[in-house]
Amino acid sequence: MTLNRYANKTVHEVTTGWIDPAGGFSLESTLGHLYEGPQQGATLAFYGCKDGATDYFISTDSACEGKRIMGVDGYGYSQSEAGLGLVALYRCYTGHDHFVSRDPKCEGQSVDELLGYAVP
């Protein structure tokens, strides 16, 4: 499943799922691909979460760090595996919302954490 990053003029949303067109979101980037279910080596679940009215974020915590659970976006890897060409996914913070990036420096924003790895 394709993991995409969307943005409107206010916030980001990262998901493998549907985006409501009424939210004004447009595709910013394709981050990688996750599996629908656990696979050999790809057993790390990526959860879609929401904090407050507009902060959508990805977490590897099944309880979404105490915030609203939107569902499982898919499964990736907890560590890089030789020969697979996996891409690292970082959770970033802008000061008012979260997004995911393949850039270890979060495109100039604050780095929250390395979430895991996805198939390119």
Side-chain angles (χ1 to χ4, degrees):
M1 299 185 304
T2 305
L3 183 64
N4 289 318
R5 183 172 83 196
Y6 299 88
N8 61 21
K9 294 180 179 168
T10 310
V11 296
H12 296 86
E13 186 168 355
V14 177
T15 183
T16 55
W18 179 80
I19 292 288
D20 185 352
F25 287 94
S26 59
L27 179 64
E28 267 194 340
S29 65
T30 295
L31 299 164
H33 296 84
L34 301 176
Y35 295 103
E36 285 187 48
Q39 304 288 317
Q40 294 179 356
T43 57
L44 179 65
F46 288 78
Y47 296 90
C49 311
K50 188 175 181 184
D51 183 11
T54 60
D55 186 12
Y56 296 89
F57 66 98
I58 297 292
S59 177
T60 56
D61 174 25
S62 62
C64 279
E65 302 163 40
K67 306 302 179 189
R68 183 174 173 201
I69 302 166
M70 305 296 286
V72 177
D73 276 307
Y75 293 82
Y77 298 83
S78 59
Q79 57 191 3
S80 187
E81 294 202 13
L84 295 181
L86 301 176
V87 293
L89 299 176
Y90 299 88
R91 188 171 75 192
C92 311
Y93 187 60
T94 66
H96 70 277
D97 85 313
H98 291 85
F99 67 96
V100 175
S101 177
R102 289 167 56 167
D103 176 11
K105 294 184 179 176
C106 281
E107 303 165 38
Q109 302 296 322
S110 297
V111 180
D112 263 3
E113 65 179 296
L114 171 64
L115 289 167
Y117 296 84
V119 176

